[in-house]
Amino acid sequence: MQHHQLGKTGPRVSQIGLGCMGMSGMYGPSDRAESIATIHAALDAGINLIDTGDFYGMGHNELLIAEALKGVRRQDAVLSVKFGGLRDPAGGWTGFDGRPQAVKNFAAYSLQRLGVDYIDIYRPARLDPAVPIEETIGAIADLVKAGYVRHIGLSEVGSETIRRAAAVHPVVDLQIEYSLISRGIEDNILETCRSLGIAITAYGVLSRGLISGHWTKESAQTGDWRAHNPRFQAENVDANLALVEALKKIAEAKGVSVAQIAIAWVVAQGSDIFPVIGARRRERLAETLGALDASLSRDDLAAIEKAVPKGAAAGDRYAAVQMAHLDSEASAHR
């Protein structure tokens, strides 16, 4: 497993990270023992970047990670935590809170649930439109000075917000969706990050399983939030699965899986881009690790581009109400 510095000022992290959201019911039922075994297998394989959010399962995910990390040296895990998402007892989403006092409150609870003295990378999950980004980042900077946080990250924000945040405190990475069928960052966000020495931690690399080669219309489970995602809905899903079939032909010619070629494509976009893969089971983790051996030639990349050209996906990456809350989308052309 290769390790690189995360941005200009960040820690050294594995070439790929493990995203743990799916271990807390976001994609339907999950298995606690298998989730913990998957985290252990990731660490054994040299993956040290572990990504979570305090609102994943309303704290469940952080408690799960804490259980998995018992007996693991603290320095062997780089914990990346998103905060700010507000939820109700039924699991619904009620908004986002980026106020300084809320930032410190969220951090206190995350430190307790994770059972650690500090969080490696702490980031607002979204931009709070009611709070200047300078105030939110300033509050995290206070936590850095106090030793509770080591580094500051961002998530799903546009170029203007990135520049404003970086003017307050060094930012090590931007966590944002990036995949073969979600390439919005290429318009200007990626260039902005590179000019500031900010890495990309790319989530949704397999588009929530849509381009994994494993998901089918028959495989959806109760409680799976993808049922509300436009790309999985009836008017779009067949067109998107046709893209997967085109990608499958290239993958088979290379002797790899569809998921592996989709991950390899993101890896090939630059050493400053770190895919965060949401593997819930060891078999999916093993497939992910195999993607690192799937080097892509210029001809391969050209064939992939032809099969899945930029903008080919049917449907937005989130439902309209969520898209409206994404500064990265609203600011895409700023």
Side-chain angles (χ1 to χ4, degrees), residues 134-152:
E134 290 86 353
E135 293 184 15
T136 301
I137 297 302
I140 310 176
D142 289 344
L143 294 171
V144 172
K145 289 175 189 172
Y148 296 118
V149 169
R150 292 283 172 88
H151 304 281
I152 297 178

Side-chain angles (χ1 to χ4, degrees), residues 143-333:
L143 294 171
V144 172
K145 289 175 189 172
Y148 296 118
V149 169
R150 292 283 172 88
H151 304 281
I152 297 178
L154 293 168
S155 177
E156 287 290 355
V157 291
S159 291
E160 180 183 335
T161 302
I162 294 166
R163 293 188 193 98
R164 288 170 55 191
V168 176
H169 189 281
V171 172
V172 297
D173 70 324
L174 170 69
Q175 188 170 115
I176 195 163
E177 187 167 355
Y178 188 45
S179 72
L180 265 171
I181 63 172
S182 295
R183 294 170 61 178
I185 68 168
E186 295 175 1
D187 293 340
N188 68 55
I189 289 174
L190 181 55
E191 181 182 350
T192 298
C193 287
R194 285 177 167 163
S195 71
L196 295 169
I198 297 171
I200 299 290
T201 42
Y203 77 88
V205 171
L206 298 178
S207 296
R208 300 163 184 85
L210 183 59
I211 59 171
S212 68
H214 302 298
W215 188 88
T216 66
K217 289 187 285 186
E218 292 71 39
S219 64
Q221 300 182 62
T222 302
D224 189 333
W225 78 277
R226 286 175 291 194
H228 306 288
N229 184 287
R231 291 183 176 172
F232 288 84
Q233 290 173 351
E235 63 272 24
N236 298 322
V237 70
D238 288 335
N240 291 328
L241 289 176
L243 296 175
V244 177
E245 286 303 309
L247 194 59
K248 186 176 181 181
K249 293 175 183 176
I250 301 169
E252 287 176 345
K254 289 281 293 181
V256 298
S257 71
V258 175
Q260 287 172 333
I261 206 162
I263 295 167
W265 181 88
V266 174
V267 170
Q269 303 311 304
S271 61
D272 58 345
I273 298 177
F274 297 79
V276 176
I277 311 298
R280 289 190 286 171
R281 301 192 300 278
R282 284 169 287 181
E283 65 186 271
R284 294 287 179 253
L285 176 65
E287 182 178 32
T288 295
L289 294 169
L292 297 178
D293 298 323
S295 58
L296 302 178
S297 67
R298 286 186 180 181
D299 288 345
D300 292 330
L301 291 169
I304 292 168
E305 183 73 28
K306 185 176 180 181
V308 188
K310 184 177 179 179
D316 287 330
R317 57 193 182 99
Y318 284 104
V321 66
Q322 292 171 292
M323 289 289 284
H325 293 150
L326 293 181
D327 181 65
S328 52
E329 293 289 335
S331 308
H333 302 295

Side-chain angles (χ1 to χ4, degrees), residues 62-126:
E62 290 178 321
L63 292 168
L64 179 76
I65 290 170
E67 185 176 344
L69 294 182
K70 284 178 181 174
V72 175
R73 293 189 311 167
R74 177 64 186 89
Q75 61 267 37
D76 290 343
V78 176
L79 298 176
S80 170
V81 180
K82 290 180 291 299
F83 69 84
L86 303 177
R87 306 192 67 179
D88 61 28
W93 300 89
T94 61
F96 182 86
D97 196 343
R99 294 172 301 149
Q101 63 267 43
V103 172
K104 294 173 183 180
N105 176 76
F106 291 135
Y109 279 80
S110 284
L111 289 163
Q112 180 69 25
R113 283 188 293 256
L114 288 165
V116 295
D117 296 326
Y118 64 89
I119 295 165
D120 295 277
I121 309 165
Y122 201 48
R123 72 184 78 246
R126 297 287 186 268

